[in-house]
Amino acid sequence: MDCFIFLPFLLGIPLLWPCLKATENPKTEKVKQPEGSHLRVKRGWVWNQFFVPEEMNTTNHLIGRIRSDLDNGNNSFQYRLLGVGAGSIFDIDPKTGDIYAKQKLDREERSLYTLRAQVTDTTVGKNVETESEFVIRVLDINDNEPKFLHGPYEAVVPEMSPEGTFVIQVTASDADDPATGNNARLLYSLLQGQAYFSVEPTTGIIRISSKMDRELQEEYWIIIQAKDMIGQHGALSGTASVLIKLSDINDNKPIFKDSFYRLTVSESAPMGTTIGRITAYDNDIGENAEMEYFIEGDDSQTFDIITNNETQEGIVILKKEVDFEQQNHYGIRAKVRNCHVEKELMEYHEETSSTYIRVQVEDVDEPPVFLLPYYVFEIFEENPHGSFIGTVSAVDPDQRKSPIRYSITGSKVFSVHGNGTIINTDHLDRETSAWYNLSVTAIERDNAQQFSSVPVYVQVLNINDNAPEFSQYYETYVCENADYGQTIQTISAVDRDEFVEEHHFYFNLSVEDTSNSSFIIIDNQDNTAVVLTTRTGFSLQEEPVFYIPILIADNGIPPLTSTNTLTVYVCDCDDKGNAQICSNKELSFSMGFGIEVIVAILICVTVIFGFIFLILALKQRRKQTLFPEKSEDFRANIFRYDDEGGGEEDTEAFDIVELRNSTIMRERKVRKTASLEIRSLYRQSLQVGPDSAVFRKFILEKLEEANTDPCAPPFDSLQTYAFEGTGSSAGSLSSLGSVVTEQDENFDYLSDLGPRFKRLAYMFGSAVQSNK
């Protein structure tokens, strides 16, 4: 037959299995499996398995035997093992086919080995059987104790929890085969902590068995045990420790340490001053111990209590100032309660703890106190010195009632008597100062360190002591061809006095001018008036200026009046009434002087810029090479011109060699500025003498300046001479000349120059006459 015979030996008892013939189509042919055997179809072959207990102490333990049905016992067949563990863990007797275990086997390391068997005929050297697989299974024994893989354990449960409250579930594991008997079936039990906790035997769930108070004991250590084999005899066990902490609940109310507190406060203490601290304690922790303090029964609302959130102390503070003379002690009752209380725990907090606080007020020497926070007095201006203004009063708030003296600092206008009466010591003028801000100090005579001040405001009342006047300076003119009733000016007035009602002014011509006047005034009844002409035509030559005295009255009690003069200039006007020539000499002179000044400034600016451009041109020319051909020896003469018009007579010849070897040292001379030069020219233009002599002197001075100028170029240059000249019969028309002569000028000669100068002669002649 073409098959193996597997003879397993379990626990030393050999079992003979019948030979199973292989079939070529195992899917269609059923094979009967002997009782007690484990068979499965693989690769078309039916194979067997062997069992060996783990941890066998004997070596070369016989596991089973394989034998071919072709083996007739002539020792020509040889058996071999192939696969993982063959030769190292398992061995086979090549003659008999007996399989041995060479070492201990541990199921927890490996529970199954798959091997292959071969049989060879040594006479022919060929396999007589096809390879056949078989399995060696390691049988489990209870050699592993239960282990808690996640210990030690820790759990938190609220204090005062009812019985049966879940705490934690612990789990142990056993490495033995759970399918083999009860080797891995565990039971849990408590070795420590049975008084407060219990454990479910099969699940390892720990529960509370009685209520616990955190304030008595906060932590509990329990020991739990796990046994395999359902706790039977010979079972193995393992233990683990569990730390159970009780979390706090708010089941305790805060209580004051002391039932009575005695505190003191000075009557000079400001609001917000800390008077003292009170303390309550709470057995709870964390948020459950947070408390707040409050006052009950303080009708005066003098004190308050705030809570220090870090120390949980109550800080008693002063809510408003106290006065020893009014009340020297206070009694208040303080209470305390938790900030966070759950509804189900309100039964623990129904009655709050309280304490009594007695606050004693300490007397201090206080400064004087004025009867009013400030004083306002009134006095009319122009009152004589020493006039009564008002009285301030201060008292000593202490019981001894020290006398008070008064003083005013920083004021020379007022003084105060010993009884607090204020008088003026100087003239009072509302227009100078309408209000005075004073500070009166009250000082205790027995203790000068105790003083206080009060503001005093003195208002100076108005009296009608200022007459009205023009609101501005008026420059009024009237044309020669003015018509009758023509308005030439609108005037208004101002008054420095202050009236309860609005100011009202009245305008009229003065008495001395009403009989003979070329003008009249019409009051507009709105604090303005207009000046009108009362005739037709005016003469600039006969009456160039009119002076109109105007009377202005106010509505004061009594009313005050003033006379103001309005100056009216007669002007030569065009057809449209625009003034061309007026007799206002000052105006004309200022305008003429302004034009001359502008012309002089323009001349100065032109001279300065011309001088600057000249210097820049000379510097640029100096940079250029005077002798471009260096190799050429110049034998020509160099001519120097000292002035512009000297010609050949003023030349001086120098030998080129002498010029190269000599150095001309010139004395530095301060250059004249443009403004100084213009003034010099002006002074020269006023010199008296023949023109030739004056001009010659001027030229010689300019030549001397050019010769001594260290910046003058060594070649021909253009010298500019500004000379105004003399000899005009009219002289200089410049306004500058008018200030250097004291002689009266006659401008009648201007009339001979034509009709255009006639008016000019009349204007200047009239101005001279008016000045005289």
Side-chain angles (χ1 to χ4, degrees):
M1 291 180 64
D2 214 8
C3 66
F4 281 105
I5 298 175
F6 297 90
L7 300 176
F9 294 89
L10 182 60
L11 297 179
I13 303 175
L15 298 176
L16 179 61
W17 289 1
C19 177
L20 300 178
K21 181 180 173 75
T23 175
E24 295 186 2
N25 190 0
K27 296 181 181 181
T28 57
E29 182 177 348
K30 294 182 180 180
V31 180
K32 184 177 181 182
Q33 181 177 350
E35 183 180 356
S37 63
H38 301 274
L39 299 178
R40 67 176 181 174
V41 178
K42 188 176 181 181
R43 296 181 184 175
W45 293 91
V46 177
W47 58 281
N48 292 291
Q49 55 185 346
F50 298 97
F51 295 91
V52 56
E54 64 174 335
E55 303 295 340
M56 292 293 293
N57 292 327
T58 58
T59 58
N60 293 328
H61 173 69
L62 180 61
I63 296 174
R65 177 184 296 172
I66 59 174
R67 188 174 182 83
S68 175
D69 60 350
L70 299 179
D71 189 359
N72 53 9
N74 57 2
N75 295 328
S76 61
F77 283 14
Q78 185 176 10
Y79 297 92
R80 294 177 56 195
L81 279 180
L82 301 175
V84 178
S88 58
I89 300 176
F90 303 101
D91 200 2
I92 190 172
D93 189 339
K95 298 296 185 181
T96 62
D98 293 337
I99 300 174
Y100 299 92
K102 299 176 65 177
Q103 63 184 22
K104 282 185 180 182
L105 300 180
D106 190 354
R107 188 200 67 83
E108 285 69 40
E109 292 182 3
R110 188 163 185 172
S111 61
L112 184 143
Y113 297 88
T114 302
L115 301 174
R116 302 190 307 276
Q118 288 183 351
V119 57
T120 305
D121 188 353
T122 57
T123 57
V124 297
K126 294 182 179 181
N127 292 337
V128 298
E129 294 281 0
T130 304
E131 284 187 4
S132 179
E133 283 186 347
F134 63 94
V135 173
I136 299 178
R137 294 185 178 273
V138 181
L139 299 178
D140 180 58
I141 63 173
N142 190 18
D143 57 346
N144 291 280
E145 70 275 5
K147 294 181 178 179
F148 292 92
L149 301 180
H150 303 290
Y153 297 89
E154 184 174 329
V156 179
V157 63
E159 63 173 332
M160 306 303 291
S161 296
E163 296 181 7
T165 302
F166 173 83
V167 179
I168 192 176
Q169 182 178 12
V170 297
T171 304
S173 62
D174 196 323
D176 292 328
D177 188 5
T180 304
N182 297 320
N183 293 345
R185 295 184 63 183
L186 306 179
L187 286 180
Y188 299 93
S189 61
L190 285 179
L191 299 182
Q192 178 179 314
Q194 296 90 339
Y196 304 102
F197 304 96
S198 62
V199 61
E200 294 182 0
T202 57
T203 61
I205 295 176
I206 301 175
R207 300 183 182 274
I208 291 177
S209 59
S210 63
K211 288 185 177 181
M212 293 168 287
D213 190 354
R214 187 202 62 83
E215 286 71 34
L216 297 178
Q217 185 174 345
E218 188 174 359
E219 297 179 352
Y220 294 86
W221 281 96
I222 64 174
I223 297 177
I224 190 168
Q225 182 186 60
K227 275 189 176 183
D228 58 10
M229 296 185 67
I230 322 178
Q232 297 177 357
H233 179 71
L236 302 179
S237 63
T239 59
S241 60
V242 181
L243 174 62
I244 301 176
K245 296 181 178 181
L246 298 182
S247 62
D248 183 63
I249 63 172
N250 198 355
D251 57 341
N252 292 277
K253 65 180 181 181
I255 299 175
F256 281 104
K257 291 184 177 181
D258 299 315
S259 59
F260 178 79
Y261 288 89
R262 187 184 299 274
L263 304 177
T264 59
V265 60
S266 173
E267 65 173 339
S268 62
M271 291 185 297
T273 301
T274 298
I275 299 175
R277 299 172 183 268
I278 59 177
T279 306
Y281 66 91
D282 192 330
N283 289 329
D284 295 323
I285 59 175
E287 186 182 75
N288 296 327
E290 294 181 1
M291 60 188 75
E292 59 180 356
Y293 299 85
F294 59 97
I295 293 178
E296 184 180 61
D298 182 18
D299 298 333
S300 64
Q301 300 293 318
T302 308
F303 305 96
D304 196 5
I305 299 180
I306 60 176
T307 305
N308 187 329
N309 294 326
E310 295 182 358
T311 61
Q312 296 300 313
E313 292 179 315
I315 303 174
V316 183
I317 63 173
L318 187 63
K319 194 173 181 180
K320 66 180 183 180
E321 294 181 355
V322 294
D323 190 351
F324 176 82
E325 286 70 28
Q326 294 183 1
Q327 186 173 353
N328 57 15
H329 70 277
Y330 294 85
I332 57 177
R333 180 166 294 279
K335 290 190 174 184
V336 64
R337 61 192 173 196
N338 282 131
C339 299
H340 310 283
V341 181
E342 294 81 2
K343 292 182 179 180
E344 57 272 12
L345 300 175
M346 287 299 296
E347 57 179 336
Y348 298 101
H349 303 269
E350 290 180 354
E351 295 183 2
T352 57
S353 176
S354 64
T355 185
Y356 185 78
I357 303 175
R358 180 181 177 85
V359 182
Q360 184 69 37
V361 180
E362 296 179 344
D363 185 23
V364 296
D365 190 4
E366 299 176 85
V369 177
F370 283 93
L371 301 183
L372 295 177
Y374 62 91
Y375 293 86
V376 179
F377 301 124
E378 296 178 347
I379 183 174
F380 283 99
E381 61 178 335
E382 304 298 340
N383 271 7
H385 296 181
S387 298
F388 173 80
I389 295 177
T391 302
V392 298
S393 179
V395 296
D396 184 6
D398 299 320
Q399 292 181 348
R400 60 182 182 177
K401 303 299 179 182
S402 174
I404 305 298
R405 57 186 178 90
Y406 302 91
S407 66
I408 295 180
T409 57
S411 177
K412 298 180 180 180
V413 183
F414 303 93
S415 65
V416 61
H417 293 316
N419 59 354
T421 300
I422 300 175
I423 62 174
N424 66 316
T425 58
D426 200 353
H427 174 74
L428 298 178
D429 186 2
R430 190 205 64 83
E431 286 70 39
T432 302
S433 179
W435 282 91
Y436 290 90
N437 298 333
L438 309 178
S439 178
V440 178
T441 303
I443 307 172
E444 292 184 8
R445 293 183 181 179
D446 298 337
N447 185 4
Q449 301 297 326
Q450 298 296 331
F451 61 89
S452 60
S453 300
V454 66
V456 177
Y457 307 99
V458 179
Q459 182 183 13
V460 181
L461 301 179
N462 179 69
I463 63 174
N464 193 17
D465 58 344
N466 290 279
E469 57 188 11
F470 279 154
S471 61
Q472 65 183 43
Y473 174 75
Y474 295 101
E475 292 183 356
T476 307
Y477 70 92
V478 61
C479 296
E480 286 183 312
N481 55 354
D483 296 331
Y484 176 84
Q486 182 176 343
T487 300
I488 63 171
Q489 185 68 56
T490 301
I491 59 176
S492 61
V494 293
D495 193 334
R496 293 196 303 161
D497 289 324
E498 181 183 19
F499 286 88
V500 178
E501 299 178 355
E502 293 184 358
H503 284 288
H504 188 76
F505 302 109
Y506 305 93
F507 301 88
N508 201 352
L509 291 175
S510 63
V511 178
E512 61 271 12
D513 194 59
T514 54
S515 60
N516 184 16
S517 177
S518 298
F519 306 92
I520 62 171
I521 285 186
I522 297 179
D523 194 338
N524 295 329
Q525 299 299 321
D526 59 354
N527 291 340
T528 64
V530 293
V531 181
L532 305 177
T533 60
T534 60
R535 72 180 187 181
T536 302
F538 293 86
S539 176
L540 179 62
Q541 296 181 356
E542 297 177 358
E543 292 181 299
V545 182
F546 290 91
Y547 300 98
I548 306 174
I550 299 177
L551 185 67
I552 306 177
D554 61 17
N555 59 336
I557 301 176
L560 293 182
T561 60
S562 66
T563 302
N564 299 264
T565 301
L566 179 66
T567 304
V568 181
Y569 299 96
V570 180
C571 297
D572 182 13
C573 304
D574 57 12
D575 297 338
K576 296 181 179 180
N578 297 322
Q580 295 179 337
I581 299 175
C582 295
S583 60
N584 188 354
K585 181 180 178 181
E586 296 180 356
L587 179 61
S588 302
F589 180 79
S590 63
M591 293 177 59
F593 182 75
I595 295 174
E596 292 179 358
V597 170
I598 293 174
V599 173
I601 292 175
L602 292 177
I603 294 174
C604 293
V605 172
T606 304
V607 172
I608 292 173
F609 276 100
F611 188 70
I612 293 174
F613 291 148
L614 178 60
I615 292 177
L616 294 177
L618 292 177
K619 288 185 178 181
Q620 185 67 24
R621 185 175 178 182
R622 187 180 295 177
K623 293 181 180 179
Q624 299 177 357
T625 305
L626 298 178
F627 306 101
E629 298 296 331
K630 294 182 179 180
S631 60
E632 182 181 357
D633 188 11
F634 291 93
R635 296 299 179 180
N637 293 332
I638 297 178
F639 298 93
R640 178 171 62 85
Y641 296 92
D642 291 340
D643 59 282
E644 184 177 4
E648 295 296 330
E649 296 178 358
D650 294 333
T651 61
E652 294 180 9
F654 293 91
D655 186 81
I656 189 66
V657 178
E658 293 296 327
L659 183 62
R660 290 177 178 175
N661 295 334
S662 62
T663 302
I664 298 176
M665 299 298 293
R666 296 186 178 183
E667 181 181 358
R668 178 175 294 273
K669 182 178 181 182
V670 180
R671 297 183 61 87
K672 294 183 177 181
T673 61
S675 61
L676 293 176
E677 186 174 354
I678 291 173
R679 290 195 294 269
S680 175
L681 296 178
Y682 174 74
R683 289 194 299 271
Q684 292 177 5
S685 67
L686 298 178
Q687 293 179 0
V688 181
D691 289 345
S692 59
V694 175
F695 184 76
R696 185 182 300 108
K697 183 179 180 182
F698 173 77
I699 293 299
L700 290 177
E701 289 180 1
K702 299 306 293 184
L703 289 176
E704 181 65 19
E705 290 179 6
N707 289 336
T708 58
D709 187 3
C711 299
F715 44 82
D716 286 353
S717 62
L718 176 63
Q719 297 289 339
T720 302
Y721 304 105
F723 183 71
E724 184 175 345
T726 60
S728 174
S729 60
S732 177
L733 295 180
S734 173
S735 60
L736 299 176
S738 62
V739 299
V740 298
T741 178
E742 297 178 355
Q743 300 178 358
D744 296 334
E745 298 183 7
N746 187 6
F747 299 94
D748 295 337
Y749 67 93
L750 296 176
S751 302
D752 300 333
L753 299 179
R756 295 182 178 273
F757 292 88
K758 183 176 181 181
R759 176 63 64 183
L760 183 63
Y762 174 77
M763 289 176 57
F764 280 90
S766 301
V768 171
Q769 293 177 4
S770 63
N771 290 335
K772 290 181 180 179

